[in-house]
Amino acid sequence: MFRLLSKESNIFSVPVYIGFLFLIFLLLNLLDFKYIDVFPAIITFMGISLGYFLFNAIALNQFSHLPLFLYTIFVASFYDGTIEVGLAFTFLTSAIILLILTSQNDYLRKSSFMLVGSILAFNYLVFPPSWPMGVFVIFHIIGTSGRISLNIFRLFFGIILIVLSYFGLMYLIHYTTWDKTYLPFYGKFELLDSYFPLYILTPIALMLLYSLSDHFKHYNEKSPISRYKYTFVLVFSLAQLITIIFYMGNNYEYLLLLALPVSIILSRMLRFLPKYWMQELGLWIIVFTLAFFKIAIFFKF
């Protein structure tokens, strides 16, 4: 199976995976007619679908089927058919921001920071736990931009435009009460009472740790472009992980935030394993681990 998924994808691959993803969303929502919420499901589907195009934009996986396949099974495992509107918008806005930041058009990428700031502000207003994404964009500007001050100004100008418009609208409708949930880390952070079924994902977590250690072990052997792109993925993963640690609780659909970067990292790990049987075994461990996690969630709720 690994050899089959290692083949180069073509122009028809992404629509096929998106079609399969649509069937997953349709099935999961139809299984629960009472709680079906069409609008968040559509927004989530759009955001996750855009993720398929990001694999080619980031270009760390040799345009193979493997990351597309892993991304699909991660989504199928973490999405349960119900999701809050704010988190749904986060998937969509994160995908749009990544499409802009990974664009091959330098002019488009460097002239869009005001738009990125506006998107970040809008997403923060509908989903305050998304604030780490803004930190990720700032670090990205500092690490890649030749005109840091100007681009940060553009970013914050876009943020200010949306924030002022929001406050102006709230003032007009006489809504003047400040909601403290907009402050990062507001409230007491409490650990989960039980880590079931999260500990089922331990094999995947160990694979990620191995992938990171192997990356830094051979860091000097990699090309500057590969190192930059891998660092980009790692910083993005860290931003999403902060949101998950502090705000997930028992809402396991938050794990969808890591589906894209984890698929990229694991695909590279499998590709660089020295033996074919290791690659095949690693792939099936991921598949069965996610299947057990999905079954555990089903029976838990």
Side-chain angles (χ1 to χ4, degrees):
M1 185 174 179
F2 178 83
R3 287 177 179 171
L4 180 64
L5 294 174
S6 296
K7 293 182 178 180
E8 185 174 346
S9 60
N10 53 47
I11 193 173
F12 300 105
S13 298
V14 170
V16 171
Y17 282 103
I18 292 178
F20 183 70
L21 180 69
F22 175 76
L23 293 177
I24 293 174
F25 271 64
L26 185 63
L27 178 63
L28 290 174
N29 282 281
L30 290 179
L31 286 175
D32 200 345
F33 290 102
K34 294 182 180 179
Y35 300 101
I36 185 171
D37 201 342
V38 177
F39 182 68
I42 292 175
I43 298 298
T44 305
F45 175 76
M46 292 172 59
I48 294 176
S49 297
L50 285 176
Y52 285 102
F53 297 94
L54 286 168
F55 290 106
N56 289 343
I58 297 175
L60 275 175
N61 300 108
Q62 295 185 334
F63 307 102
S64 67
H65 285 271
L66 185 58
L68 302 177
F69 173 78
L70 290 180
Y71 183 62
T72 303
I73 63 173
F74 272 115
V75 171
S77 301
F78 296 150
Y79 180 69
D80 62 356
T82 58
I83 197 168
E84 57 182 292
V85 177
L87 186 58
F89 271 110
T90 299
F91 297 133
L92 180 59
T93 56
S94 297
I96 294 173
I97 290 173
L98 288 180
L99 282 173
I100 294 174
L101 297 182
T102 56
S103 173
Q104 299 298 320
N105 188 327
D106 289 338
Y107 177 78
L108 172 64
R109 188 173 65 253
K110 294 178 181 179
S111 62
S112 300
F113 286 116
M114 188 172 75
L115 174 61
V116 171
S118 300
I119 295 173
L120 286 172
F122 172 78
N123 194 47
Y124 179 74
L125 291 173
V126 298
F127 190 65
S130 67
W131 62 265
M133 191 65 183
V135 179
F136 159 72
V137 174
I138 292 175
F139 276 108
H140 176 76
I141 293 175
I142 294 174
T144 63
S145 178
R147 307 177 71 180
I148 298 176
S149 300
L150 176 60
N151 289 329
I152 288 182
F153 171 78
R154 290 171 176 169
L155 181 74
F156 279 96
F157 185 70
I159 293 174
I160 291 171
L161 286 178
I162 298 299
V163 171
L164 289 180
S165 300
Y166 172 77
F167 281 127
L169 178 62
M170 292 298 104
Y171 180 78
L172 289 176
I173 63 177
H174 305 290
Y175 189 86
T176 57
T177 303
W178 173 255
D179 190 349
K180 293 183 179 179
T181 58
Y182 280 101
L183 298 175
F185 302 112
Y186 177 77
K188 184 179 179 181
F189 171 66
E190 296 181 358
L191 294 175
L192 294 174
D193 296 332
S194 173
Y195 288 93
F196 177 83
L198 289 176
Y199 61 72
I200 296 176
L201 299 175
T202 300
I204 294 178
L206 293 176
M207 288 184 181
L208 290 172
L209 292 176
Y210 170 79
S211 179
L212 293 177
S213 64
D214 184 72
H215 168 72
F216 288 108
K217 180 180 179 181
H218 300 94
Y219 186 80
N220 294 328
E221 303 172 12
K222 301 180 183 296
S223 66
I225 295 177
S226 178
R227 286 183 294 191
Y228 158 72
K229 291 181 177 180
Y230 203 93
T231 302
F232 176 87
V233 172
L234 290 182
V235 177
F236 174 71
S237 303
L238 180 60
Q240 304 295 51
L241 188 60
I242 291 174
T243 298
I244 290 173
I245 291 175
F246 286 98
Y247 302 104
M248 181 177 73
N250 291 318
N251 300 315
Y252 300 121
E253 63 270 15
Y254 275 59
L255 293 173
L256 286 169
L257 294 170
L258 288 176
L260 176 71
V262 167
S263 298
I264 294 174
I265 295 172
L266 290 180
S267 297
R268 287 179 62 82
M269 181 212 72
L270 292 174
R271 181 161 62 89
F272 288 117
L273 287 175
K275 301 291 185 180
Y276 170 71
W277 67 266
M278 295 180 180
Q279 298 169 331
E280 191 72 27
L281 178 62
L283 176 60
W284 284 110
I285 288 176
I286 294 172
V287 171
F288 282 114
T289 298
L290 292 174
F292 291 146
F293 179 78
K294 186 68 174 181
I295 293 172
I297 290 180
F298 179 80
F299 284 106
K300 181 178 180 180
F301 293 101

